[in-house]
Amino acid sequence: ASDVYKRQPRHIGDTVTHNVQRITVPRRVLKYLRPDVAISFTARMNVQNLIAVHGTGIPIIVSERNNPIAQRQPLEWEVLRKNLYPYASALVLQTRSVRRWAQGFISGEKIHVIPNPLTQENEISEEISPCPKGMPIVCSLGRLTRSKGFDILLKSFSIATADKPQWGLLIMGEGEERRFLEEMARTLGIRERVFFPGRVKNPSYQLNQAKFFVLSSRHEGFPNALLEAMAAGIAAIAADCPFGPSEIITHDVDGLLVPNEDIDSLSRSMHLLMEDREKRESLGARARKNVKRYSPDIVMAQWEELISRVTQVREIP
């Protein structure tokens, strides 16, 4: 069955065959195994699996993992999603904000908000830092794409450090905007203080070396990088983008929120934390404490409760 998901279609005929197989193969497996519940993730897989379980009596939970408003599907998939999701036993979303989107086509009692669990390595192994020793560092993490707003971060960092040339910026991740961002840093005159190490094997170590973290995203599904930074006990600044940051951070309590895509506000907040060590430390300490609500035990208990509720009404022919 795994081969069905690995093969890439070469033409329209392949695409049709590929999608049919993604329905018929799981359907045969599900009918044979008769599981207590099926759980599906991501929009297209959800649509295919809802069709696959139709008529089997097997309850199915579908989950959206991205921002369904900003990261829209092609029209045909949008139509299928809105017409098929109501047949799911439950729909799991990562943030309360997305609930409003889902309530437009599925009954409220089927909608459940369960965030991602915070997972961290028990030991933070040391690795070589790409930044010069002793340089105070602002850190960020994510794919180098427009949605992550690293262009906004570079401009804000340039403004914030106009009188603080000793500060550096570390952006961990890889993506199609690498060359664009490197050239922007060069144009802004900060290239020698901005570090792009690509994918980092152990981001926890780098996070723990930073003075504070910045999430500059234009939109998010659920910002795991923000949780990781807060769990590391470092202060965090996040753009109040849709969706996620405002449900994780309480402004000026365990982090700072700034208006989305607002370069001036972000630069002022960065400058504030560069100058105020005490504030950085107090925000970081409260962040470490408050993100415990996303521990695997707490999040998995929510999943277990939902699965138990769904399977109680199971009726397999």
Side-chain angles (χ1 to χ4, degrees):
S2 61
D3 289 343
V4 173
Y5 301 97
K6 292 178 182 178
R7 292 197 300 270
Q8 294 299 315
R10 293 165 296 180
H11 47 73
I12 186 63
D14 265 2
T15 300
V16 173
T17 300
H18 192 61
N19 281 301
V20 169
Q21 289 177 331
R22 282 184 169 221
I23 295 168
T24 56
V25 173
R27 181 175 177 85
R28 286 199 302 269
V29 173
L30 289 167
K31 290 181 74 174
Y32 174 76
L33 294 176
R34 292 293 187 183
D36 294 314
V37 63
I39 302 176
S40 178
F41 298 89
T42 74
R44 297 192 188 189
M45 291 293 293
N46 292 342
V47 166
Q48 292 163 341
N49 289 325
L50 279 164
I51 297 172
V53 302
H54 180 69
T56 65
I58 299 171
I60 180 170
I61 300 170
V62 297
S63 180
E64 286 282 340
R65 312 311 293 173
N66 292 314
N67 181 330
I69 297 174
Q71 295 166 295
R72 296 184 65 83
Q73 298 292 321
L75 179 60
E76 62 272 22
W77 287 99
E78 289 283 349
V79 171
L80 285 168
R81 178 164 61 177
K82 291 188 176 182
N83 281 277
L84 290 175
Y85 273 23
Y87 292 97
S89 303
L91 168 62
V92 174
L93 307 172
Q94 294 176 292
T95 63
R96 294 187 299 273
S97 303
V98 186
R99 179 186 288 272
R100 290 191 294 273
W101 164 81
Q103 285 174 329
F105 55 90
I106 187 170
S107 60
E109 66 269 14
K110 286 189 175 184
I111 302 172
H112 302 266
V113 177
I114 304 178
N116 277 349
L118 171 64
T119 57
Q120 282 191 307
E121 298 179 6
N122 293 328
E123 296 184 4
I124 301 174
S125 58
E126 186 173 349
E127 63 178 37
I128 297 174
S129 173
C131 312
K133 188 174 182 179
M135 174 181 277
I137 293 296
V138 178
C139 186
S140 193
L141 171 65
R143 279 188 50 76
L144 305 185
T145 61
R146 174 175 166 75
S147 67
K148 296 301 181 182
F150 290 125
D151 56 320
I152 298 169
L153 176 56
L154 288 175
K155 293 173 184 176
S156 299
F157 177 77
S158 176
I159 296 170
T161 58
D163 61 344
K164 298 183 181 301
Q166 73 275 24
W167 280 76
L169 173 63
L170 174 66
I171 301 177
M172 295 180 283
E174 193 55 84
E176 60 266 24
E177 286 208 339
R178 169 183 275 276
R179 290 186 179 180
F180 166 72
L181 295 170
E182 289 175 337
E183 184 57 35
M184 174 177 284
R186 191 171 292 109
T187 300
L188 291 169
I190 56 174
R191 183 65 187 90
E192 72 282 358
R193 297 188 288 120
V194 180
F195 306 91
F196 296 95
R199 294 184 182 90
V200 176
K201 183 178 180 181
N202 183 19
S204 296
Y205 175 76
Q206 306 297 347
L207 285 170
N208 276 269
Q209 307 308 305
K211 299 300 183 184
F212 61 92
F213 176 86
V214 177
L215 181 86
S216 53
S217 300
R218 289 180 165 87
H219 60 81
E220 281 284 346
F222 189 84
N224 292 322
L226 177 59
L227 283 186
E228 292 171 14
M230 294 172 72
I234 64 173
I237 303 171
D240 191 8
C241 66
F243 298 106
S246 63
E247 296 184 24
I248 296 173
I249 286 180
T250 300
H251 178 64
D252 213 24
V253 174
D254 52 12
L256 299 177
L257 291 172
V258 298
N260 196 20
E261 300 189 64
D262 190 324
I263 293 170
D264 289 337
S265 293
L266 179 54
S267 64
R268 286 195 299 270
S269 293
M270 292 173 69
H271 193 272
L272 169 65
L273 291 191
M274 288 174 184
E275 291 201 320
D276 195 335
R277 175 180 176 179
E278 183 178 341
K279 189 171 188 66
R280 292 200 307 263
E281 292 177 349
S282 65
L283 289 174
R286 286 193 291 267
R288 188 197 298 271
K289 178 182 178 181
N290 290 349
V291 295
K292 289 180 179 178
R293 67 187 186 273
Y294 297 103
S295 71
D297 288 345
I298 292 175
V299 173
M300 293 312 298
Q302 295 175 51
W303 272 102
E304 289 172 2
E305 180 183 357
L306 174 59
I307 291 169
S308 176
R309 185 184 309 175
V310 166
T311 55
Q312 285 175 3
V313 296
R314 180 184 189 223
E315 293 181 4
I316 296 182

